[in-house]
Amino acid sequence: MDEELLELQRQFQFAQQAKSSIRLSERNVVELIQKLQQLQIIDFELLHTVSGKEYITLDQLRNEMVSEVRKLGRVSVIDLADTTGVDLYYVEKQAQRIVADHAEFMLNQGEIMSESYWDSVAEEVNERLQECSQIALTELAAQLNVGLDLVASVLEPRLGTMVKGRLEGGQLYTPAYVARMNAMVRGAARGITVPTNLTVLWSSLQQLLQEMGGTGGVAVDGSFFQSLFNGLVKEGEIQGSVRAGVHWTPAVFAIAQKESVDSFFSQNSFISYEVLHKLGIPQPIQFLQSRYPEGKPLVTTFVHQSMIDMLDAATEDAIERGSWSDSLSLLPSSFTPQDAAKMLSLCQSVQLALKSNKAHIFGEFYVLSSSFMKDICDRVVKELETLGVSGSFGSKMSDDLQVTNEAKGYDSGRLNESNEMASDAGANKHSDKGSKKKKGKATGNAAANLSESGPDNQEQASTKSKKNQRKSKDTSSQTSDSKSGSRKESVKMKDDNLSSPSEEWIVQKITTLFPEFEEQGLDDPETILGPLANKLRPTIISSWMEKRKALLTENADRMKRLLDNLQKKLDESFLNMQLYEKALELFEDDQSTSVVLHRHLLRTVAAPMVDMLLHDLDEHNKLKNGVEVQEAPSSESISVSPGDRVAISKSFPRPLANKALAVVEALEGKNVEVFMDAFRAVTEESALPLKRLDKKLERTLLHSYRKELTSQVSAETDPVSLLPKVVSLLYIQVYHKALQAPGRAISVAISQLKDKLDESAHKVLTDYQAATVTLLALLSAAPGDEDDCASDRILSKRELLESQMWDLKSLVLTNTQQSS
């Protein structure tokens, strides 16, 4: 057998060394191969080499590439192209097929690597790891010139076998190093007694390792610590809980936390959520509800049922006593108003009282019993009854009352009569027609004549009186109390246009009547008083209106009588005033005397008339607004000081007040005509029109006045008082004027009579006037303790004057009879 093989080898060697007799050129070979391909004798793909002098099949190319990779372990595709002499395109294409057919190969970034290559790398890494204790994957990736993920993927399967170490956070550690770090993490975690963020702990450990390793120390990633920590927690070597992966709460802290909460809650029956937040409990409500099922969560506090029962009992007691309760003051200072309101909603007795309207809650935590609120209403209404409140509310009450009175038969005839008299004043022909029915005997005063002439005027002015009556409703119903205290209270109830007492006024009254609110610092309207006033205001207004209506109904007849009497007295006084005014024309040339007469007439006749008007209008306004006024005797004279006149005038509504002030000002002036115009304006504004003096009335009044003066002169026994009456009677006889003259103007008045009397009569009058002046001078000059001489002179002068008095009386009475 061996011989045969040796023979075959010799023949094969001879054949190779023998020279062919037929030689083919390269071109012929190329054409031959092309022909064979056309004939499909060669049915596989042939590749040209880069030199173009060789052909290579794909199988051969793959075999050469596999052989090269197995030989080197890691070969670049570019190097394979150079080695095989084939174009890079075909090499890359076949590289992908090789990797797909051979599981031990991988293609990464143009390089083919085998498992044997990575095994050798793993062995080298293991040797280095044992020397250094830790290696960073980034360092390995840089050395191998591959990606970090690739290094991690090839090393992870070899950990524990070829690589004796642990991979954490991109670092390779030896088991000894891991055990060391594990011990460090365990010690640090066990040393923590309060909730801690683990990232802070890992930072501290990293800093410690840096200090221990010096400048060459390698930083350990926090994830490595976290992994070790999680393992320790799972194994139970560290007691505690982890929240959100990084918030560590040691078991010792949780135990102390629960003990602190239990101690506070058991001692106080409440605990605020803020305390739990300070203790590190993030969800206090859930924590407390799970630990104390019997407790109740409030807005900022968690309370035990016993505290709710305590508040319930205290509030129920306040309601039963008819008082009120400040729930917040019964609770600890840490409770908020919202907490108190929530607790009240959990009190059964309070809720039952609210449903049955036995109590009401204001300002979230103030509980007021219904009886206490009723007491407030009653006392505030009583305060209102003492005030003369003006404004449209009072006007409305007056309008309602007038409608009621009309339904009951209390018609507005008084106002109609007054307005019809105003129409009389505008046309003398009306008054003439009205006076035709006056056939009776004169009584000596203007009131009698006016009362007789009124009915005709009412018939002729009925249409105009309706308009005036409507005006009187709008004006006379707005008067107010004249006393300064009442006016101040009225101002506090806002301006005159308000329809009812304001909330601010009610708040002020509650504070005054119930000082306990202010004592406890509850005078701020925003707390309890404002809502309380808003709640009580409708009830207060309703009660006040009912009482006012009842009182106004009772006062209706009295108001009617008051207006009737006032109208009659004004008619009488104003007609007399007009009568006396005409006598002032005789002294227009004597300015000084005219001023004296004007002032005298304003002081003696006009002042009582104004006082009577202001007093009765003020009383009427009080009655209209439901204020109790003691009825004064009708015969009582009325005297008002200048200051009170102004105060009363200012208490009226603005249109009437302005005109009343004008009258008061004119009363202090020097012109009767100005006063008369102002007085007419006030009476018209007050729906009390006055009748003007016509000639017929003037004659009637003069006749009555003359008879009255004649009777007074006949009966007069005082010689001093006789002179002005005699002068007035002579002026009626001579000038047909009723003169009211003071003592200072008597001499001028007598001088005016010189041309109207005979010389003897005028001499008697002047002598009497001179004797009267002398007597008055003696009386004023005499000391307090008169001596005998002075007394004798006064007595003799009085006797002389008395003897002349009879001559003067006979002279005047004789002239009176002759003129009659």
Side-chain angles (χ1 to χ4, degrees):
M1 188 68 176
D2 293 336
E3 294 178 356
E4 291 179 357
L5 288 176
L6 292 173
E7 182 64 25
L8 288 175
Q9 287 179 354
R10 285 192 297 271
Q11 292 178 1
F12 183 68
Q13 184 177 5
F14 177 78
Q16 288 180 334
Q17 292 177 354
K19 295 183 179 180
S20 177
S21 60
I22 304 173
R23 295 180 63 86
L24 297 177
S25 64
E26 292 181 1
R27 182 177 180 82
N28 292 333
V29 173
V30 172
E31 291 177 352
L32 178 60
I33 291 176
Q34 290 178 349
K35 186 64 175 177
L36 291 173
Q37 287 178 339
Q38 290 177 0
L39 295 175
Q40 295 185 351
I41 296 175
I42 298 177
D43 56 355
F44 49 83
E45 184 177 1
L46 293 175
L47 299 178
H48 286 282
T49 62
V50 178
S51 63
K53 295 180 179 182
E54 292 177 322
Y55 283 104
I56 185 172
T57 63
L58 294 178
D59 292 339
Q60 181 62 29
L61 177 60
R62 285 194 296 273
N63 291 334
E64 292 181 2
M65 291 174 63
V66 170
S67 175
E68 189 71 16
V69 172
R70 285 177 176 172
K71 176 183 176 182
L72 299 177
R74 175 181 178 181
V75 182
S76 172
V77 176
I78 298 175
D79 293 341
L80 288 175
D82 294 340
T83 303
T84 58
V86 181
D87 187 78
L88 181 60
Y89 170 76
Y90 297 105
V91 174
E92 288 179 345
K93 190 173 183 182
Q94 295 306 313
Q96 295 175 356
R97 186 170 179 178
I98 290 172
V99 172
D101 294 341
H102 297 78
E104 69 273 16
F105 293 163
M106 66 174 62
L107 180 63
N108 180 64
Q109 295 181 357
E111 291 183 318
I112 300 176
M113 305 174 189
S114 64
E115 288 291 330
S116 60
Y117 168 77
W118 288 115
D119 290 342
S120 62
V121 169
E123 291 176 358
E124 294 177 1
V125 169
N126 185 56
E127 293 177 0
R128 183 178 173 184
L129 177 62
Q130 302 308 318
E131 294 177 0
C132 301
S133 297
Q134 60 178 358
I135 300 176
L137 293 186
T138 55
E139 182 181 351
L140 293 176
Q143 291 177 356
L144 298 175
N145 196 22
V146 295
L148 182 63
D149 293 338
L150 178 60
V151 175
S153 65
V154 297
L155 289 180
E156 282 179 355
R158 294 169 174 80
L159 291 175
T161 54
M162 300 184 71
V163 179
K164 304 298 182 180
R166 178 172 177 172
L167 179 62
E168 289 289 346
Q171 293 275 353
L172 278 173
Y173 306 99
T174 60
Y177 189 83
V178 172
R180 178 186 173 193
M181 292 296 103
N182 205 31
M184 184 179 290
V185 170
R186 181 172 52 249
R190 288 180 177 178
I192 296 174
T193 58
V194 295
T196 305
N197 193 313
L198 292 177
T199 55
V200 177
L201 178 61
W202 307 151
S203 299
S204 300
L205 292 179
Q206 288 173 350
Q207 184 178 1
L208 179 62
L209 289 174
Q210 289 285 345
E211 294 174 356
M212 293 172 60
T215 56
V218 179
V220 180
D221 191 76
S223 61
F224 178 50
F225 292 128
Q226 187 69 42
S227 176
L228 296 176
F229 179 82
N230 292 338
L232 292 172
V233 173
K234 188 175 182 181
E235 294 171 1
E237 295 190 29
I238 302 175
Q239 299 295 325
S241 59
V242 180
R243 180 171 56 87
V246 295
H247 298 287
W248 168 248
T249 302
V252 63
F253 177 81
I255 294 172
Q257 193 180 57
K258 292 177 182 178
E259 290 177 352
S260 176
V261 171
D262 291 342
S263 175
F264 189 94
F265 190 75
S266 61
Q267 292 177 8
N268 301 282
S269 298
F270 77 93
I271 188 169
S272 66
Y273 303 145
E274 184 180 359
V275 173
L276 272 70
H277 282 300
K278 290 180 179 179
L279 291 175
I281 301 176
Q283 296 178 329
I285 296 179
Q286 291 82 345
F287 175 84
L288 293 170
Q289 283 181 327
S290 62
R291 197 160 184 82
Y292 312 107
E294 72 280 3
K296 301 294 181 182
L298 305 180
V299 179
T300 64
T301 307
F302 192 86
V303 298
H304 192 268
Q305 182 63 38
S306 60
M307 181 167 283
I308 298 177
D309 296 339
M310 178 273 295
L311 179 64
D312 192 15
T315 308
E316 183 181 12
D317 179 64
I319 295 173
E320 294 297 331
R321 289 187 291 103
S323 182
W324 65 285
S325 172
D326 179 1
S327 302
L328 189 60
S329 65
L330 301 176
L331 300 173
S333 59
S334 62
F335 280 63
T336 65
Q338 293 77 15
D339 293 328
K342 180 69 174 178
M343 288 187 68
L344 287 176
S345 67
L346 299 175
C347 296
Q348 295 183 357
S349 62
V350 174
Q351 296 304 312
L352 290 175
L354 293 175
K355 291 180 181 178
S356 59
N357 288 329
K358 290 184 178 180
H360 300 273
I361 294 179
F362 296 93
E364 296 184 345
F365 52 86
Y366 298 102
V367 182
L368 277 72
S369 65
S370 297
S371 57
F372 181 71
M373 295 173 61
K374 184 178 182 300
D375 182 45
I376 293 176
C377 286
D378 294 341
R379 295 178 68 175
V380 172
V381 170
K382 191 171 294 185
E383 283 291 314
L384 282 172
E385 291 175 4
T386 63
L387 304 178
V389 183
S390 63
S392 59
F393 186 61
S395 300
K396 180 179 181 299
M397 291 294 299
S398 300
D399 293 342
D400 293 343
L401 177 65
Q402 186 167 358
V403 173
T404 304
N405 289 345
E406 288 176 356
K408 292 181 180 180
Y410 294 108
D411 60 20
S412 55
R414 176 67 262 166
L415 295 179
N416 284 336
E417 180 181 349
S418 301
N419 288 305
E420 286 152 7
M421 292 176 183
S423 66
D424 255 351
N428 286 334
K429 59 180 183 179
H430 289 178
S431 63
D432 291 338
K433 292 179 180 178
S435 62
K436 286 180 180 179
K437 292 188 176 182
K438 179 181 174 300
K439 300 294 184 180
K441 184 177 180 182
T443 60
N445 58 60
N449 297 283
L450 181 62
S451 61
E452 292 178 4
S453 62
D456 285 354
N457 295 332
Q458 293 176 9
E459 293 176 0
Q460 297 181 18
S462 59
T463 303
K464 188 173 181 180
S465 66
K466 293 180 180 179
K467 297 180 181 179
N468 291 336
Q469 180 180 353
R470 286 196 296 269
K471 180 179 178 183
S472 70
K473 283 184 181 180
D474 297 334
T475 57
S476 63
S477 63
Q478 296 180 1
T479 56
S480 63
D481 192 353
S482 63
K483 293 184 178 180
S484 59
S486 299
R487 290 198 308 276
K488 291 180 180 178
E489 298 292 349
S490 301
V491 171
K492 293 177 182 177
M493 293 176 61
K494 295 275 188 175
D495 56 43
D496 294 341
N497 294 325
L498 286 183
S499 61
S500 58
S502 65
E503 289 185 17
E504 292 79 0
W505 187 88
I506 296 176
V507 166
Q508 183 181 1
K509 276 301 166 188
I510 294 175
T511 305
T512 304
L513 297 173
F514 299 90
E516 59 265 27
F517 287 115
E518 188 172 3
E519 292 173 359
Q520 298 191 20
L522 304 180
D523 52 345
D524 184 6
E526 298 298 327
T527 55
I528 179 176
L529 298 183
L532 178 61
N534 183 60
K535 176 76 174 178
L536 297 181
R537 186 168 177 261
T539 305
I540 291 173
I541 293 175
S542 177
S543 301
W544 183 37
M545 289 180 65
E546 290 177 2
K547 292 188 177 183
R548 281 169 56 87
K549 284 181 179 179
L551 187 57
L552 287 171
T553 302
E554 295 176 2
N555 292 343
D557 185 60
R558 182 177 172 186
M559 292 165 61
K560 182 176 180 295
R561 285 187 282 106
L562 178 66
L563 287 178
D564 288 341
N565 294 334
L566 177 60
Q567 183 72 71
K568 291 178 181 179
K569 290 186 287 186
L570 286 178
D571 288 338
E572 177 184 355
S573 299
F574 194 71
L575 285 173
N576 289 334
M577 187 71 183
Q578 294 178 81
L579 184 66
Y580 300 145
E581 182 187 12
K582 289 184 174 293
L584 300 178
E585 300 172 357
L586 300 174
F587 300 91
E588 290 181 352
D589 296 337
D590 189 349
Q591 186 63 31
S592 60
T593 304
S594 177
V595 170
V596 171
L597 293 175
H598 277 261
R599 285 182 175 176
H600 176 72
L601 188 58
L602 290 173
R603 185 175 63 255
T604 56
V605 181
M609 185 168 57
V610 171
D611 293 345
M612 175 180 59
L613 174 64
L614 294 179
H615 176 273
D616 288 0
L617 285 180
D618 185 45
E619 182 177 347
H620 179 270
N621 180 68
K622 293 178 181 178
L623 293 173
K624 180 184 64 178
N625 287 310
V627 179
E628 295 185 5
V629 181
Q630 185 176 1
E631 189 170 3
S634 57
S635 59
E636 183 180 349
S637 60
I638 299 170
S639 178
V640 181
S641 66
D644 289 340
R645 290 174 190 151
V646 174
I648 295 175
S649 300
K650 289 182 178 180
S651 68
F652 295 145
R654 183 163 298 175
L656 181 59
N658 293 337
K659 295 180 179 181
L661 288 172
V663 168
V664 173
E665 183 179 357
L667 189 63
E668 301 297 328
K670 305 175 182 178
N671 194 308
V672 173
E673 184 179 357
V674 173
F675 167 79
M676 298 291 279
D677 293 338
F679 193 80
R680 286 192 188 94
V682 171
T683 55
E684 290 175 1
E685 186 71 28
S686 304
L688 296 169
L690 301 173
K691 188 175 180 63
R692 291 184 181 275
L693 182 68
D694 56 21
K695 292 183 178 180
K696 187 173 182 179
L697 277 176
E698 183 179 0
R699 288 195 299 269
T700 303
L701 290 176
L702 281 174
H703 179 70
S704 300
Y705 188 45
R706 180 176 182 176
K707 290 181 62 177
E708 183 178 354
L709 282 176
T710 302
S711 175
Q712 292 178 3
V713 167
S714 299
E716 186 61 62
T717 59
D718 183 11
V720 176
S721 301
L722 177 65
L723 182 60
K725 296 177 181 178
V726 168
V727 172
S728 295
L729 184 57
L730 290 174
Y731 264 77
I732 292 177
Q733 296 172 0
V734 174
Y735 293 105
H736 302 289
K737 305 288 184 182
L739 177 65
Q740 291 287 323
R744 293 190 304 165
I746 289 295
S747 59
V748 179
I750 293 175
S751 63
Q752 289 276 2
L753 296 172
K754 182 176 182 180
D755 297 335
K756 302 297 181 180
L757 299 176
D758 54 32
E759 185 176 352
S760 60
H762 185 264
K763 185 176 185 308
V764 171
L765 187 59
T766 54
D767 292 343
Y768 191 87
Q769 190 264 339
T772 303
V773 171
T774 303
L775 176 61
L776 292 175
L778 290 174
L779 290 173
S780 61
D785 297 331
E786 298 179 356
D787 54 10
D788 295 338
C789 182
S791 298
D792 292 341
R793 288 197 300 271
I794 293 173
L795 181 59
S796 62
K797 183 59 68 173
R798 182 178 291 277
E799 290 176 352
L800 175 62
L801 195 60
E802 288 177 354
S803 64
Q804 294 177 351
M805 181 176 65
W806 302 113
D807 297 336
L808 185 60
K809 279 187 178 183
S810 61
L811 172 65
V812 174
L813 294 177
T814 301
N815 290 337
T816 300
Q817 293 174 359
Q818 292 176 354
S819 60
S820 299

